[in-house]
Amino acid sequence: MAQTDPNCIFCKIVRKEISADEVLRDEHVVAFRDLNPQAPTHVLVIPTEHAAHLSDFMQQAPAQAAHLLAAASELGRRFGPGGYRVVMNEGADAGQTVHHLHAHVLAGRRMTWPPG
Ligand code: DGP
């Protein structure tokens, strides 16, 4: 059975215990609009299975990690025909605030580099 954390906010979105503005859902991922958007399109893509970090998930479920990236690129193409950015924050230095792996997909404006 897939791992889940009863206290994790993103697991609650997977289980539909709290609502989210979903743009994609399948067996392995859910994608929904970020509550605090940083671009005209800002979507989070999460695995349905709980893993805190990309590095854990690569060990635990590499096929699902690849599926998550495939979903992020599909959504990037859908929402950002002119280009898009995929960001994954891991750990305190990167500013990770929700400890359920997620890819941010940002599109709809010109991005700058380096990120803050
Ligand atoms: P990060 O800093 O990479 O851990 O980003 C976490 C993101 O999750 C942040 O941009 C805000 C978003 N977020 C947190 N809680 C919720 C929620 O309950 N619903 C939605 N849609 N987004 C959330």
Side-chain angles (χ1 to χ4, degrees):
M1 196 174 105
Q3 291 192 41
T4 188
D5 177 340
N7 300 313
C8 167
I9 190 129
F10 285 179
C11 285
K12 289 181 183 178
I13 288 174
V14 171
R15 294 195 302 266
K16 298 192 176 183
E17 290 170 12
I18 63 171
S19 64
D21 185 0
E22 291 185 18
V23 296
L24 180 78
R25 176 182 279 264
D26 66 23
E27 187 188 347
H28 299 298
V29 297
V30 181
F32 51 91
R33 294 187 188 277
D34 195 291
L35 268 188
N36 183 24
Q38 302 301 313
T41 295
H42 184 171
V43 164
L44 302 174
V45 189
I46 67 171
T48 51
E49 183 160 342
H50 183 83
H53 300 128
L54 177 63
S55 40
D56 306 329
F57 201 55
M58 289 305 297
Q59 298 292 320
Q60 190 180 310
Q64 280 95 323
H67 184 79
L68 184 133
L69 270 185
S73 67
E74 178 196 321
L75 292 165
R77 286 277 178 89
R78 188 199 302 177
F79 291 115
Y84 64 92
R85 183 170 290 173
V86 177
V87 174
M88 299 172 93
N89 296 321
E90 176 164 329
D93 280 359
Q96 184 178 14
T97 57
V98 178
H99 296 278
H100 180 129
L101 169 64
H102 50 280
H104 298 255
V105 180
L106 301 135
R109 66 168 171 81
R110 287 301 283 262
M111 310 278 167
T112 58
W113 194 262

